[in-house]
Amino acid sequence: MERFGFSMLWYWVAYFIVTGIGVLHTVFNITLLHMGSMKEGPGMGEGYEKTKPWHPLYNVIVFPIFAFLYFNGLESITFSNVIATSLIWGTITVVFDVFGWVVIKHPWSLSFREFYIDYQPWITLIYATIYASPFIAYGLMNL
């Protein structure tokens, strides 16, 4: 994979932007819209639950932008590079999410069931979006 370091830079920037947007959306719902927090409701609370349908949208907007930025920095973009980027970005997300949202305990961590069963169909759509993002960027660059 050409310029792997830049691929990882753009991937992690996109990942943390999307995560930040999700956290800020939840905080907005709780503080300004007075929705219930995780202390007051089942699971992560109403403030978080209401953000779930938006999560795939954050990803379908943010990840293709950063895939575009990565591809734009390459000498040439090959379809095999697009495939490799898709597989690497998507798989890193799946693996990192297990540790970041389930295994490592923190105030916003979820159980395996909450993250992989109760978060359906949103988590599947998020993963599909991240795997598809390099293809979306590639397609837009070749219009």
Side-chain angles (χ1 to χ4, degrees), residues 116-130:
Y116 293 102
I117 310 276
D118 298 343
Y119 194 18
Q120 291 297 339
W122 314 117
I123 192 64
T124 298
L125 292 171
I126 289 166
Y127 290 156
T129 297
I130 293 170

mmCIF file with all atom_site columns, all heavy atoms in Angstrom, residues 116-130:
data_model
loop_
_atom_site.group_PDB
_atom_site.id
_atom_site.type_symbol
_atom_site.label_atom_id
_atom_site.label_alt_id
_atom_site.label_comp_id
_atom_site.label_asym_id
_atom_site.label_entity_id
_atom_site.label_seq_id
_atom_site.pdbx_PDB_ins_code
_atom_site.Cartn_x
_atom_site.Cartn_y
_atom_site.Cartn_z
_atom_site.occupancy
_atom_site.B_iso_or_equiv
_atom_site.pdbx_formal_charge
_atom_site.auth_seq_id
_atom_site.auth_comp_id
_atom_site.auth_asym_id
_atom_site.auth_atom_id
_atom_site.pdbx_PDB_model_num
ATOM 1   N N   . TYR A 1 116 ? -23.068 -4.722 19.739 1.00 0.00 ? 116 TYR A N   1
ATOM 2   C CA  . TYR A 1 116 ? -23.201 -5.513 18.504 1.00 0.00 ? 116 TYR A CA  1
ATOM 3   C C   . TYR A 1 116 ? -24.600 -6.032 18.229 1.00 0.00 ? 116 TYR A C   1
ATOM 4   O O   . TYR A 1 116 ? -24.882 -6.416 17.101 1.00 0.00 ? 116 TYR A O   1
ATOM 5   C CB  . TYR A 1 116 ? -22.185 -6.658 18.504 1.00 0.00 ? 116 TYR A CB  1
ATOM 6   C CG  . TYR A 1 116 ? -20.779 -6.124 18.414 1.00 0.00 ? 116 TYR A CG  1
ATOM 7   C CD1 . TYR A 1 116 ? -19.977 -6.048 19.547 1.00 0.00 ? 116 TYR A CD1 1
ATOM 8   C CD2 . TYR A 1 116 ? -20.273 -5.636 17.221 1.00 0.00 ? 116 TYR A CD2 1
ATOM 9   C CE1 . TYR A 1 116 ? -18.697 -5.518 19.468 1.00 0.00 ? 116 TYR A CE1 1
ATOM 10  C CE2 . TYR A 1 116 ? -18.997 -5.102 17.137 1.00 0.00 ? 116 TYR A CE2 1
ATOM 11  C CZ  . TYR A 1 116 ? -18.213 -5.051 18.268 1.00 0.00 ? 116 TYR A CZ  1
ATOM 12  O OH  . TYR A 1 116 ? -16.962 -4.516 18.197 1.00 0.00 ? 116 TYR A OH  1
ATOM 13  N N   . ILE A 1 117 ? -25.480 -6.013 19.209 1.00 0.00 ? 117 ILE A N   1
ATOM 14  C CA  . ILE A 1 117 ? -26.856 -6.481 18.992 1.00 0.00 ? 117 ILE A CA  1
ATOM 15  C C   . ILE A 1 117 ? -27.835 -5.302 19.075 1.00 0.00 ? 117 ILE A C   1
ATOM 16  O O   . ILE A 1 117 ? -28.563 -5.023 18.126 1.00 0.00 ? 117 ILE A O   1
ATOM 17  C CB  . ILE A 1 117 ? -27.251 -7.561 20.038 1.00 0.00 ? 117 ILE A CB  1
ATOM 18  C CG1 . ILE A 1 117 ? -26.204 -8.659 20.131 1.00 0.00 ? 117 ILE A CG1 1
ATOM 19  C CG2 . ILE A 1 117 ? -28.677 -8.069 19.788 1.00 0.00 ? 117 ILE A CG2 1
ATOM 20  C CD1 . ILE A 1 117 ? -26.245 -9.774 19.173 1.00 0.00 ? 117 ILE A CD1 1
ATOM 21  N N   . ASP A 1 118 ? -27.813 -4.615 20.212 1.00 0.00 ? 118 ASP A N   1
ATOM 22  C CA  . ASP A 1 118 ? -28.759 -3.513 20.419 1.00 0.00 ? 118 ASP A CA  1
ATOM 23  C C   . ASP A 1 118 ? -28.481 -2.316 19.510 1.00 0.00 ? 118 ASP A C   1
ATOM 24  O O   . ASP A 1 118 ? -29.379 -1.515 19.268 1.00 0.00 ? 118 ASP A O   1
ATOM 25  C CB  . ASP A 1 118 ? -28.739 -3.050 21.879 1.00 0.00 ? 118 ASP A CB  1
ATOM 26  C CG  . ASP A 1 118 ? -29.159 -4.140 22.850 1.00 0.00 ? 118 ASP A CG  1
ATOM 27  O OD1 . ASP A 1 118 ? -29.773 -5.133 22.407 1.00 0.00 ? 118 ASP A OD1 1
ATOM 28  O OD2 . ASP A 1 118 ? -28.848 -4.003 24.051 1.00 0.00 ? 118 ASP A OD2 1
ATOM 29  N N   . TYR A 1 119 ? -27.275 -2.190 19.016 1.00 0.00 ? 119 TYR A N   1
ATOM 30  C CA  . TYR A 1 119 ? -26.872 -1.065 18.168 1.00 0.00 ? 119 TYR A CA  1
ATOM 31  C C   . TYR A 1 119 ? -27.144 -1.354 16.689 1.00 0.00 ? 119 TYR A C   1
ATOM 32  O O   . TYR A 1 119 ? -26.734 -0.608 15.817 1.00 0.00 ? 119 TYR A O   1
ATOM 33  C CB  . TYR A 1 119 ? -25.392 -0.784 18.444 1.00 0.00 ? 119 TYR A CB  1
ATOM 34  C CG  . TYR A 1 119 ? -24.812 0.520  17.938 1.00 0.00 ? 119 TYR A CG  1
ATOM 35  C CD1 . TYR A 1 119 ? -25.593 1.607  17.570 1.00 0.00 ? 119 TYR A CD1 1
ATOM 36  C CD2 . TYR A 1 119 ? -23.443 0.662  17.843 1.00 0.00 ? 119 TYR A CD2 1
ATOM 37  C CE1 . TYR A 1 119 ? -25.026 2.786  17.126 1.00 0.00 ? 119 TYR A CE1 1
ATOM 38  C CE2 . TYR A 1 119 ? -22.858 1.835  17.401 1.00 0.00 ? 119 TYR A CE2 1
ATOM 39  C CZ  . TYR A 1 119 ? -23.660 2.894  17.040 1.00 0.00 ? 119 TYR A CZ  1
ATOM 40  O OH  . TYR A 1 119 ? -23.088 4.059  16.594 1.00 0.00 ? 119 TYR A OH  1
ATOM 41  N N   . GLN A 1 120 ? -27.860 -2.436 16.405 1.00 0.00 ? 120 GLN A N   1
ATOM 42  C CA  . GLN A 1 120 ? -28.224 -2.752 15.029 1.00 0.00 ? 120 GLN A CA  1
ATOM 43  C C   . GLN A 1 120 ? -29.421 -1.914 14.615 1.00 0.00 ? 120 GLN A C   1
ATOM 44  O O   . GLN A 1 120 ? -30.263 -1.604 15.442 1.00 0.00 ? 120 GLN A O   1
ATOM 45  C CB  . GLN A 1 120 ? -28.552 -4.246 14.889 1.00 0.00 ? 120 GLN A CB  1
ATOM 46  C CG  . GLN A 1 120 ? -27.376 -5.161 15.045 1.00 0.00 ? 120 GLN A CG  1
ATOM 47  C CD  . GLN A 1 120 ? -26.306 -4.968 13.983 1.00 0.00 ? 120 GLN A CD  1
ATOM 48  O OE1 . GLN A 1 120 ? -26.540 -4.433 12.903 1.00 0.00 ? 120 GLN A OE1 1
ATOM 49  N NE2 . GLN A 1 120 ? -25.103 -5.386 14.309 1.00 0.00 ? 120 GLN A NE2 1
ATOM 50  N N   . PRO A 1 121 ? -29.540 -1.528 13.372 1.00 0.00 ? 121 PRO A N   1
ATOM 51  C CA  . PRO A 1 121 ? -28.661 -1.818 12.240 1.00 0.00 ? 121 PRO A CA  1
ATOM 52  C C   . PRO A 1 121 ? -27.519 -0.814 12.108 1.00 0.00 ? 121 PRO A C   1
ATOM 53  O O   . PRO A 1 121 ? -26.739 -0.878 11.167 1.00 0.00 ? 121 PRO A O   1
ATOM 54  C CB  . PRO A 1 121 ? -29.600 -1.696 11.043 1.00 0.00 ? 121 PRO A CB  1
ATOM 55  C CG  . PRO A 1 121 ? -30.524 -0.575 11.432 1.00 0.00 ? 121 PRO A CG  1
ATOM 56  C CD  . PRO A 1 121 ? -30.729 -0.768 12.930 1.00 0.00 ? 121 PRO A CD  1
ATOM 57  N N   . TRP A 1 122 ? -27.432 0.114  13.047 1.00 0.00 ? 122 TRP A N   1
ATOM 58  C CA  . TRP A 1 122 ? -26.529 1.256  12.905 1.00 0.00 ? 122 TRP A CA  1
ATOM 59  C C   . TRP A 1 122 ? -25.064 0.851  12.829 1.00 0.00 ? 122 TRP A C   1
ATOM 60  O O   . TRP A 1 122 ? -24.331 1.370  11.987 1.00 0.00 ? 122 TRP A O   1
ATOM 61  C CB  . TRP A 1 122 ? -26.768 2.280  14.018 1.00 0.00 ? 122 TRP A CB  1
ATOM 62  C CG  . TRP A 1 122 ? -28.225 2.535  14.197 1.00 0.00 ? 122 TRP A CG  1
ATOM 63  C CD1 . TRP A 1 122 ? -28.979 2.281  15.316 1.00 0.00 ? 122 TRP A CD1 1
ATOM 64  C CD2 . TRP A 1 122 ? -29.142 3.029  13.222 1.00 0.00 ? 122 TRP A CD2 1
ATOM 65  N NE1 . TRP A 1 122 ? -30.295 2.593  15.085 1.00 0.00 ? 122 TRP A NE1 1
ATOM 66  C CE2 . TRP A 1 122 ? -30.430 3.059  13.797 1.00 0.00 ? 122 TRP A CE2 1
ATOM 67  C CE3 . TRP A 1 122 ? -29.019 3.443  11.898 1.00 0.00 ? 122 TRP A CE3 1
ATOM 68  C CZ2 . TRP A 1 122 ? -31.560 3.498  13.119 1.00 0.00 ? 122 TRP A CZ2 1
ATOM 69  C CZ3 . TRP A 1 122 ? -30.147 3.869  11.218 1.00 0.00 ? 122 TRP A CZ3 1
ATOM 70  C CH2 . TRP A 1 122 ? -31.390 3.897  11.818 1.00 0.00 ? 122 TRP A CH2 1
ATOM 71  N N   . ILE A 1 123 ? -24.614 -0.066 13.689 1.00 0.00 ? 123 ILE A N   1
ATOM 72  C CA  . ILE A 1 123 ? -23.200 -0.439 13.661 1.00 0.00 ? 123 ILE A CA  1
ATOM 73  C C   . ILE A 1 123 ? -22.839 -1.120 12.343 1.00 0.00 ? 123 ILE A C   1
ATOM 74  O O   . ILE A 1 123 ? -21.770 -0.880 11.782 1.00 0.00 ? 123 ILE A O   1
ATOM 75  C CB  . ILE A 1 123 ? -22.794 -1.288 14.896 1.00 0.00 ? 123 ILE A CB  1
ATOM 76  C CG1 . ILE A 1 123 ? -21.281 -1.413 14.993 1.00 0.00 ? 123 ILE A CG1 1
ATOM 77  C CG2 . ILE A 1 123 ? -23.465 -2.639 14.900 1.00 0.00 ? 123 ILE A CG2 1
ATOM 78  C CD1 . ILE A 1 123 ? -20.547 -0.123 15.218 1.00 0.00 ? 123 ILE A CD1 1
ATOM 79  N N   . THR A 1 124 ? -23.734 -1.929 11.822 1.00 0.00 ? 124 THR A N   1
ATOM 80  C CA  . THR A 1 124 ? -23.485 -2.582 10.531 1.00 0.00 ? 124 THR A CA  1
ATOM 81  C C   . THR A 1 124 ? -23.409 -1.534 9.419  1.00 0.00 ? 124 THR A C   1
ATOM 82  O O   . THR A 1 124 ? -22.531 -1.607 8.551  1.00 0.00 ? 124 THR A O   1
ATOM 83  C CB  . THR A 1 124 ? -24.579 -3.619 10.222 1.00 0.00 ? 124 THR A CB  1
ATOM 84  O OG1 . THR A 1 124 ? -24.534 -4.621 11.254 1.00 0.00 ? 124 THR A OG1 1
ATOM 85  C CG2 . THR A 1 124 ? -24.379 -4.270 8.869  1.00 0.00 ? 124 THR A CG2 1
ATOM 86  N N   . LEU A 1 125 ? -24.299 -0.565 9.442  1.00 0.00 ? 125 LEU A N   1
ATOM 87  C CA  . LEU A 1 125 ? -24.276 0.501  8.436  1.00 0.00 ? 125 LEU A CA  1
ATOM 88  C C   . LEU A 1 125 ? -23.009 1.344  8.548  1.00 0.00 ? 125 LEU A C   1
ATOM 89  O O   . LEU A 1 125 ? -22.437 1.755  7.538  1.00 0.00 ? 125 LEU A O   1
ATOM 90  C CB  . LEU A 1 125 ? -25.523 1.387  8.560  1.00 0.00 ? 125 LEU A CB  1
ATOM 91  C CG  . LEU A 1 125 ? -26.841 0.711  8.199  1.00 0.00 ? 125 LEU A CG  1
ATOM 92  C CD1 . LEU A 1 125 ? -28.017 1.606  8.574  1.00 0.00 ? 125 LEU A CD1 1
ATOM 93  C CD2 . LEU A 1 125 ? -26.871 0.354  6.723  1.00 0.00 ? 125 LEU A CD2 1
ATOM 94  N N   . ILE A 1 126 ? -22.563 1.590  9.780  1.00 0.00 ? 126 ILE A N   1
ATOM 95  C CA  . ILE A 1 126 ? -21.319 2.336  9.980  1.00 0.00 ? 126 ILE A CA  1
ATOM 96  C C   . ILE A 1 126 ? -20.145 1.573  9.372  1.00 0.00 ? 126 ILE A C   1
ATOM 97  O O   . ILE A 1 126 ? -19.338 2.137  8.628  1.00 0.00 ? 126 ILE A O   1
ATOM 98  C CB  . ILE A 1 126 ? -21.081 2.605  11.484 1.00 0.00 ? 126 ILE A CB  1
ATOM 99  C CG1 . ILE A 1 126 ? -22.080 3.640  11.984 1.00 0.00 ? 126 ILE A CG1 1
ATOM 100 C CG2 . ILE A 1 126 ? -19.641 3.037  11.746 1.00 0.00 ? 126 ILE A CG2 1
ATOM 101 C CD1 . ILE A 1 126 ? -22.160 3.730  13.497 1.00 0.00 ? 126 ILE A CD1 1
ATOM 102 N N   . TYR A 1 127 ? -20.044 0.287  9.679  1.00 0.00 ? 127 TYR A N   1
ATOM 103 C CA  . TYR A 1 127 ? -18.931 -0.509 9.145  1.00 0.00 ? 127 TYR A CA  1
ATOM 104 C C   . TYR A 1 127 ? -19.003 -0.583 7.622  1.00 0.00 ? 127 TYR A C   1
ATOM 105 O O   . TYR A 1 127 ? -17.980 -0.440 6.943  1.00 0.00 ? 127 TYR A O   1
ATOM 106 C CB  . TYR A 1 127 ? -18.904 -1.904 9.769  1.00 0.00 ? 127 TYR A CB  1
ATOM 107 C CG  . TYR A 1 127 ? -18.502 -1.911 11.225 1.00 0.00 ? 127 TYR A CG  1
ATOM 108 C CD1 . TYR A 1 127 ? -18.890 -2.943 12.064 1.00 0.00 ? 127 TYR A CD1 1
ATOM 109 C CD2 . TYR A 1 127 ? -17.725 -0.900 11.791 1.00 0.00 ? 127 TYR A CD2 1
ATOM 110 C CE1 . TYR A 1 127 ? -18.525 -2.966 13.409 1.00 0.00 ? 127 TYR A CE1 1
ATOM 111 C CE2 . TYR A 1 127 ? -17.354 -0.911 13.117 1.00 0.00 ? 127 TYR A CE2 1
ATOM 112 C CZ  . TYR A 1 127 ? -17.753 -1.950 13.929 1.00 0.00 ? 127 TYR A CZ  1
ATOM 113 O OH  . TYR A 1 127 ? -17.388 -1.966 15.248 1.00 0.00 ? 127 TYR A OH  1
ATOM 114 N N   . ALA A 1 128 ? -20.193 -0.774 7.086  1.00 0.00 ? 128 ALA A N   1
ATOM 115 C CA  . ALA A 1 128 ? -20.342 -0.819 5.623  1.00 0.00 ? 128 ALA A CA  1
ATOM 116 C C   . ALA A 1 128 ? -19.904 0.510  5.002  1.00 0.00 ? 128 ALA A C   1
ATOM 117 O O   . ALA A 1 128 ? -19.244 0.523  3.953  1.00 0.00 ? 128 ALA A O   1
ATOM 118 C CB  . ALA A 1 128 ? -21.785 -1.141 5.250  1.00 0.00 ? 128 ALA A CB  1
ATOM 119 N N   . THR A 1 129 ? -20.251 1.594  5.655  1.00 0.00 ? 129 THR A N   1
ATOM 120 C CA  . THR A 1 129 ? -19.883 2.921  5.160  1.00 0.00 ? 129 THR A CA  1
ATOM 121 C C   . THR A 1 129 ? -18.375 3.118  5.159  1.00 0.00 ? 129 THR A C   1
ATOM 122 O O   . THR A 1 129 ? -17.806 3.658  4.207  1.00 0.00 ? 129 THR A O   1
ATOM 123 C CB  . THR A 1 129 ? -20.554 4.008  6.029  1.00 0.00 ? 129 THR A CB  1
ATOM 124 O OG1 . THR A 1 129 ? -21.963 3.880  5.894  1.00 0.00 ? 129 THR A OG1 1
ATOM 125 C CG2 . THR A 1 129 ? -20.133 5.393  5.615  1.00 0.00 ? 129 THR A CG2 1
ATOM 126 N N   . ILE A 1 130 ? -17.715 2.679  6.232  1.00 0.00 ? 130 ILE A N   1
ATOM 127 C CA  . ILE A 1 130 ? -16.257 2.856  6.302  1.00 0.00 ? 130 ILE A CA  1
ATOM 128 C C   . ILE A 1 130 ? -15.569 1.988  5.259  1.00 0.00 ? 130 ILE A C   1
ATOM 129 O O   . ILE A 1 130 ? -14.643 2.447  4.581  1.00 0.00 ? 130 ILE A O   1
ATOM 130 C CB  . ILE A 1 130 ? -15.747 2.584  7.732  1.00 0.00 ? 130 ILE A CB  1
ATOM 131 C CG1 . ILE A 1 130 ? -16.289 3.677  8.659  1.00 0.00 ? 130 ILE A CG1 1
ATOM 132 C CG2 . ILE A 1 130 ? -14.221 2.539  7.771  1.00 0.00 ? 130 ILE A CG2 1
ATOM 133 C CD1 . ILE A 1 130 ? -16.079 3.423  10.133 1.00 0.00 ? 130 ILE A CD1 1
#
